[in-house]
Amino acid sequence: MRDEKILVVDDEIEIGEIIKDFLEIEGYKVFLAFDGEEALKSFNEHSPQLVILDLMLPKIDGMEVCRTIRTHSTVPIIMLSAKREDTDKILGLGFGADDYMTKPFSSGELVARVKSHLRRYTTFSKSISNENEDTYTFDHIQISFKSHSIFVHGENIPFAAKEFQLLKYLILNENRVLTKEQIFNHVWGYNDYGDINTVTVHIRKIREKIEKDPSSPKYIQTVWRVGYKFSRS
């Protein structure tokens, strides 16, 4: 039995059971949920390392479940849809899905994607949580999550608390598009009545501190009409 736990959410019980069977053959511990409310409850109860999430769900739809999970977790989320035209909706709206598959799909492809996402997530999680390796380095930038310090070309650059939290959130969601709403809710919180445009202001300040050319950023990229994403490439 593997250590990884997977949450499978699909209102079609038969499909959910089939996915569960295939993943359990691979040694994963699998939990099933059949609507959005049950999905969130199961996620909080079992803390899975990956979620397979159908788009169309009763009570709370898959997009809202995905968005809710993303407010406090970076686990990989693979979304399922019966319609090919939903692809742009799943990825384009930027609610935090890592991948998508259109039904019907092969069990082999699903298992391969699950393994790939878990391998990448586990490697990245270890790289930022190991006490002996508490720094995250890319190009000429070094960030310590433990000491909340950032060095650019060896120089310690002052960061306000919210700037650091925002940058950390982007890094932990590398290559994932985050909406302004997601960033605001995560960094400032749902109960904060501030202006969501403060996200744009903080992004600009961070770019001025870490980007070689803030007007043409390499790391913090703007995704037009959606939000932002962090990328090292």
Side-chain angles (χ1 to χ4, degrees):
M1 178 67 70
R2 296 173 181 266
D3 293 332
E4 294 98 338
K5 294 177 290 185
I6 298 174
L7 174 61
V8 176
V9 188
D10 200 308
D11 63 330
E12 296 184 65
I13 297 176
E14 183 177 357
I15 291 179
E17 293 284 358
I18 290 173
I19 294 174
K20 181 175 185 287
D21 289 343
F22 280 120
L23 292 174
E24 287 184 338
I25 290 173
E26 295 294 324
Y28 296 107
K29 177 67 174 178
V30 182
F31 302 95
L32 287 176
F34 303 107
D35 62 59
E37 287 185 359
E38 187 180 2
L40 293 174
K41 180 179 178 181
S42 183
F43 183 89
N44 292 329
E45 180 179 351
H46 300 295
S47 299
Q49 282 74 53
L50 183 140
V51 179
I52 298 173
L53 178 63
D54 190 41
L55 179 63
M56 302 301 296
L57 294 172
K59 296 185 178 179
I60 303 176
D61 67 32
M63 280 295 184
E64 182 63 17
V65 172
C66 181
R67 188 196 63 77
T68 301
I69 290 174
R70 275 290 167 260
T71 62
H72 60 274
S73 175
T74 60
V75 299
I77 297 176
I78 300 175
M79 296 204 75
L80 307 178
S81 174
K83 301 178 181 178
R84 292 190 180 277
E85 55 266 30
D86 284 332
T87 298
D88 290 339
K89 184 187 299 182
I90 292 171
L91 297 181
L93 289 179
F95 281 135
D98 297 271
D99 202 353
Y100 71 92
M101 298 186 70
T102 304
K103 300 176 182 178
F105 48 79
S106 72
S107 60
E109 182 182 2
L110 176 62
V111 170
R113 294 197 192 192
V114 165
K115 289 181 177 179
S116 174
H117 283 291
L118 281 174
R119 183 168 55 249
R120 186 163 56 248
Y121 176 71
T122 300
T123 300
F124 183 68
S125 296
K126 288 181 178 179
S127 71
I128 64 172
S129 64
N130 191 308
E131 290 187 359
N132 295 321
E133 299 177 6
D134 74 316
T135 58
Y136 184 83
T137 303
F138 53 100
D139 294 342
H140 55 276
I141 300 168
Q142 186 178 65
I143 301 173
S144 172
F145 291 112
K146 288 176 64 178
S147 65
H148 284 217
S149 59
I150 299 178
F151 291 83
V152 179
H153 292 297
E155 179 184 356
N156 192 352
I157 305 298
F159 262 68
K162 293 300 184 186
E163 292 171 2
F164 187 91
Q165 292 171 28
L166 197 162
L167 179 58
K168 180 179 179 180
Y169 184 49
L170 290 172
I171 289 174
L172 292 178
N173 289 276
E174 184 173 1
N175 292 320
R176 181 180 295 135
V177 179
L178 299 172
T179 65
K180 288 184 181 180
E181 289 79 8
Q182 282 177 290
I183 295 171
F184 185 84
N185 289 334
H186 181 85
V187 176
W188 281 268
Y190 284 103
N191 295 324
D192 194 299
Y193 296 100
D195 187 347
I196 197 171
N197 289 322
T198 191
V199 173
T200 303
V201 174
H202 280 69
I203 289 288
R204 186 181 71 246
K205 291 180 178 179
I206 294 171
R207 282 172 170 166
E208 290 173 351
K209 294 178 179 182
I210 70 170
E211 298 280 1
K212 182 178 180 180
D213 182 1
S215 63
S216 182
K218 173 182 179 182
Y219 306 114
I220 302 177
Q221 302 170 7
T222 299
V223 180
W224 183 246
R225 295 181 182 272
V226 181
Y228 303 96
K229 73 172 182 178
F230 174 83
S231 178
R232 287 174 291 177
S233 58

